[in-house]
Amino acid sequence: MKYIILCIIILFPFLIFANRYHNRADQLWNQAERLRIQKKYPEAIEKYKQSARAEKRSRNIRNKEFIAKINRIALLYNKMRKFKRSLRYYKISVKASRKFSETIEEMKALKNVAYIYYKINKLKQSIRFNKLSLRIAKRLGKKDMQAYILNRIGRVYRITRDYKLSLKYYKQALIIIRRMGREYNKAIMLSNIGTVYFFSKKYNDAIDYFLRALDIDKKLKREKDMSIDYSNLGTVYIAVGNFGKGFSYFQTALAIDKRLGLKSNIAARMNKIGDIYSFMRPKKA
């Protein structure tokens, strides 16, 4: 009993000290959140930084709370298009996650670093950090995250025109999504694969995958995605010189866009239809 009382006496100042900084960190966090919702990002960032400093001064740092503050700072810098600063804080998040053995947070932070590298067009670094994140996702058995990262890697390889590797990663993502029964995500992946085949000039394969994506979007009654599918099919048929079929698909896409009031899509479809008219117009002798 005396031992317990002694421990309480010794620990009491420590607990009071820790709670004081935790309370201050929480107050600053709440202020930062209100500023973020109001889109006052510079002011919010400063409050998040103060909150992180208060958390760090505590002798009993709450790991996930500290990482969350760092991630918020990185996120807002990203929204402000200050990508170098965003990258810096996401990398701090990676280090903190490793230090505190927060493996899931490390996986997410690595993914976010990869995304910022993608946005600043440093694609090799983007692939590298995505693969580091993917390795953790596989080790943890996080199927959702695996499919998400595989899709991102596929997209980066597509941009670098490494279509073989792009297809490899897209198809790995598709396998996982099929097993999970995610029909909407399956349609997206089929469309992504179709796009790679289109850029590879494998037009029959592109048509096949776009039609499969369209079939799912029809079943799910996702009209906005159906418009994209019809437009993709129209683009392929124009590429192979079948302007009549291309025109038909773009007209169908345009009808959907008008019904949904998608102004930017309407303009894009009408431009394509105008291009088709110019191709189909008889040439003067």
Side-chain angles (χ1 to χ4, degrees), residues 20-257:
R20 183 177 63 168
Y21 283 110
H22 288 168
N23 291 339
R24 182 61 179 153
D26 292 342
Q27 288 170 4
L28 289 161
W29 169 271
N30 292 334
Q31 291 171 25
E33 286 289 271
R34 286 193 291 272
L35 289 165
R36 178 181 63 83
I37 292 166
Q38 295 167 14
K39 298 188 185 299
K40 295 179 179 178
Y41 295 149
E43 296 90 339
I45 286 170
E46 185 54 39
K47 291 295 181 182
Y48 285 127
K49 286 180 179 179
Q50 290 174 20
S51 180
R53 285 195 292 269
E55 189 70 50
K56 209 169 182 181
R57 289 183 71 183
S58 164
R59 293 174 184 172
N60 183 28
I61 294 178
R62 297 169 298 178
N63 301 345
K64 288 186 178 179
E65 283 83 349
F66 178 75
I67 293 166
K69 301 174 204 309
I70 299 302
N71 286 337
R72 275 285 199 269
I73 296 166
L75 174 67
L76 293 192
Y77 275 132
N78 177 32
K79 285 182 178 292
M80 293 169 66
R81 302 188 66 80
K82 294 186 177 181
F83 298 127
K84 287 185 179 179
R85 292 185 185 182
S86 178
L87 187 62
R88 178 188 165 205
Y89 276 91
Y90 276 135
K91 285 186 174 182
I92 291 172
S93 181
V94 171
K95 289 179 181 178
S97 299
R98 285 175 180 164
K99 179 182 176 181
F100 300 136
S101 299
E102 295 287 349
T103 311
I104 291 175
E105 296 302 322
E106 181 187 351
M107 174 186 69
K108 292 176 183 177
L110 287 165
K111 170 183 66 70
N112 289 331
V113 169
Y115 179 63
I116 299 299
Y117 272 129
Y118 167 78
K119 293 193 83 167
I120 62 177
N121 205 35
K122 292 190 175 182
L123 301 181
K124 286 183 179 179
Q125 291 95 323
S126 179
I127 289 169
R128 175 173 164 254
F129 278 91
N130 268 322
K131 287 181 177 179
L132 289 171
S133 183
L134 179 62
R135 192 181 303 165
I136 296 173
K138 286 180 177 179
R139 191 168 77 241
L140 298 176
K142 298 285 184 182
K143 298 296 182 182
D144 269 356
M145 189 61 74
Q146 287 177 47
Y148 181 82
I149 298 168
L150 286 164
N151 180 49
R152 278 191 166 187
I153 295 171
R155 179 175 60 185
V156 177
Y157 277 126
R158 187 191 75 201
I159 292 167
T160 61
R161 299 184 181 180
D162 193 333
Y163 299 131
K164 186 177 179 180
L165 280 176
S166 180
L167 283 173
K168 174 188 171 182
Y169 283 94
Y170 274 150
K171 288 185 176 181
Q172 285 179 23
L174 179 60
I175 289 168
I176 294 171
I177 289 165
R178 274 177 176 157
R179 288 173 181 168
M180 294 173 70
R182 301 281 179 83
E183 286 297 291
Y184 170 62
N185 296 106
K186 181 180 172 183
I188 292 171
M189 289 312 309
L190 289 167
S191 183
N192 287 344
I193 292 168
T195 301
V196 177
Y197 277 127
F198 172 75
F199 286 125
S200 305
K201 297 185 179 180
K202 295 181 178 179
Y203 298 124
N204 289 335
D205 289 322
I207 290 167
D208 177 47
Y209 276 87
F210 287 145
L211 284 172
R212 287 158 68 181
L214 176 61
D215 185 51
I216 293 171
D217 288 329
K218 280 181 177 178
K219 288 176 183 175
L220 297 177
K221 298 180 180 179
R222 299 187 65 89
E223 287 194 290
K224 188 175 180 180
D225 294 310
M226 285 166 56
S227 169
I228 295 168
D229 299 329
Y230 283 121
S231 178
N232 286 338
L233 286 161
T235 301
V236 180
Y237 278 108
I238 289 171
V240 298
N242 191 334
F243 300 116
K245 209 158 188 178
F247 177 82
S248 176
Y249 276 120
F250 274 113
Q251 283 280 55
T252 306
L254 179 61
I256 294 171
D257 295 332

